[in-house]
Amino acid sequence: MYYHKLKYLIPVIMLFCSCSSGDDNQGGEELVLLESFVTYYYELESVKLSSENNYIRIYESLSGEYYCYDERNNRSPENYLKYKELRNHYNDTGYHAEINLMVNPIPNRFLADIFESVEIVSDTDFDTDHPAGTSLADISLFYTLTPFYFIENGYRYFDWDNYSESREVLYHFPRTGNNYGSYLVEGINTLYPVKALASELTVEDLSLLGRGKAGVANPTNDDPIAIIDFVKLPEQKGTHIFTVTLKNTDGKEFSGKVSMLFD
């Protein structure tokens, strides 16, 4: 008798459990105290470009290799050592905050590559000072967001509300509702803005790219890691094919091409 009752109860219990978990990003809580803000580092394989209006969007394409905060979740002991190496490089050891690991994806994922420069060239004369094939870095504004300065400043939030160019910078990046930091455990205030000519970028400006979402299985086309906006339009009208190259501190280069029509 007991067996027959249990047989009918099991499907009810399973249905209740499935309904309570759902497919959203809640799924309950598993708070883990972490000493580092960055949970995963992902290796870049290539960059992809797209154009909209008069600016260039840069997207990451990942190799699949990653370095995780949890030694058990790494593919090898060497990967965990690499995570610790990067964590120590950024001095990301004093975060000491609880992170919910039951959400999907786990937040605070960034690129492992540390970049040192961004180069932009066109296959067509841009103007008299920038003939075809020469650097456009001195007339190319580069926008990105990075937690590098959040970590460096002792995990102090950036004050977006009182930043005079917040609307201009955030215009280039997507948001979910009113949240620009949907991939971050503490939101947009953990990311500092970078807006500088490509010729003036520092290694610090180009560290920890990815906006907290690197490694997400299906990022949308509205999820660039950086934007390039020219400070002036080319004198030579017609179609330009731009090549953008990011070079990391190991000397590896990642290049992409995109065409833009200027009427």
Side-chain angles (χ1 to χ4, degrees), residues 228-241:
I228 292 174
D229 193 5
F230 299 109
V231 299
K232 61 178 181 177
L233 296 178
E235 295 174 358
Q236 182 72 33
K237 303 305 181 183
T239 299
H240 288 244
I241 298 177

Side-chain angles (χ1 to χ4, degrees), residues 155-174:
Y155 306 98
R156 187 171 73 241
Y157 291 150
F158 183 78
D159 188 0
W160 282 97
D161 291 336
N162 292 310
Y163 176 49
S164 61
E165 298 183 69
S166 61
R167 179 172 294 184
E168 176 186 349
V169 173
L170 293 178
Y171 164 79
H172 294 292
F173 300 99

Side-chain angles (χ1 to χ4, degrees), residues 25-261:
N25 285 347
Q26 301 308 310
E29 285 194 353
E30 181 186 339
L31 297 178
V32 175
L33 182 65
L34 298 182
E35 65 178 10
S36 301
F37 174 75
V38 180
T39 57
Y40 281 74
Y41 296 94
Y42 279 79
E43 290 284 357
L44 185 65
E45 181 175 63
S46 62
V47 294
K48 299 179 179 180
L49 309 180
S50 72
S51 63
E52 183 174 331
N53 299 327
N54 292 320
Y55 58 85
I56 298 171
R57 291 181 170 190
I58 305 174
Y59 304 90
E60 83 251 14
S61 179
L62 303 173
S63 70
E65 193 64 88
Y66 63 86
Y67 315 110
C68 174
Y69 72 94
D70 188 341
E71 185 173 8
R72 298 165 298 178
N73 290 343
N74 281 277
R75 291 176 173 172
S76 70
E78 290 75 22
N79 283 28
Y80 182 59
L81 290 177
K82 180 67 174 180
Y83 173 84
K84 292 199 296 183
E85 176 187 326
L86 287 164
R87 176 194 66 187
N88 293 336
H89 169 80
Y90 291 116
N91 198 28
D92 185 14
T93 58
Y95 185 54
H96 300 306
E98 289 186 329
I99 292 182
N100 181 12
L101 301 182
M102 293 297 289
V103 296
N104 182 31
I106 294 173
N108 302 356
R109 303 176 175 206
F110 295 89
L111 296 182
D113 295 87
I114 304 165
F115 300 100
E116 63 179 18
S117 65
V118 177
E119 188 57 87
I120 307 100
V121 299
S122 173
D123 70 333
T124 305
D125 293 347
F126 197 91
D127 55 29
T128 54
D129 295 325
H130 302 88
T134 60
S135 176
L136 302 174
D138 63 327
I139 57 170
S140 301
L141 272 177
F142 185 89
Y143 294 84
T144 194
L145 305 171
T146 173
F148 174 86
Y149 299 105
F150 168 68
I151 296 168
E152 184 181 58
N153 292 328
Y155 306 98
R156 187 171 73 241
Y157 291 150
F158 183 78
D159 188 0
W160 282 97
D161 291 336
N162 292 310
Y163 176 49
S164 61
E165 298 183 69
S166 61
R167 179 172 294 184
E168 176 186 349
V169 173
L170 293 178
Y171 164 79
H172 294 292
F173 300 99
R175 64 182 178 182
T176 302
N178 292 318
N179 182 12
Y180 287 94
S182 57
Y183 296 105
L184 299 157
V185 72
E186 293 187 71
I188 189 66
N189 290 334
T190 59
L191 298 183
Y192 280 55
V194 171
K195 175 193 172 186
L197 289 172
S199 58
E200 299 175 356
L201 291 166
T202 65
V203 172
E204 291 77 15
D205 293 336
L206 297 172
S207 295
L208 295 175
L209 302 188
R211 298 178 44 230
K213 69 178 182 61
V216 174
N218 295 301
T220 72
N221 291 331
D222 293 326
D223 282 340
I225 60 172
I227 297 290
I228 292 174
D229 193 5
F230 299 109
V231 299
K232 61 178 181 177
L233 296 178
E235 295 174 358
Q236 182 72 33
K237 303 305 181 183
T239 299
H240 288 244
I241 298 177
F242 294 101
T243 301
V244 177
T245 303
L246 279 68
K247 182 179 180 181
N248 69 17
T249 52
D250 292 328
K252 186 174 181 180
E253 295 183 347
F254 305 87
S255 295
K257 293 181 182 291
V258 66
S259 62
M260 296 177 68
L261 176 62

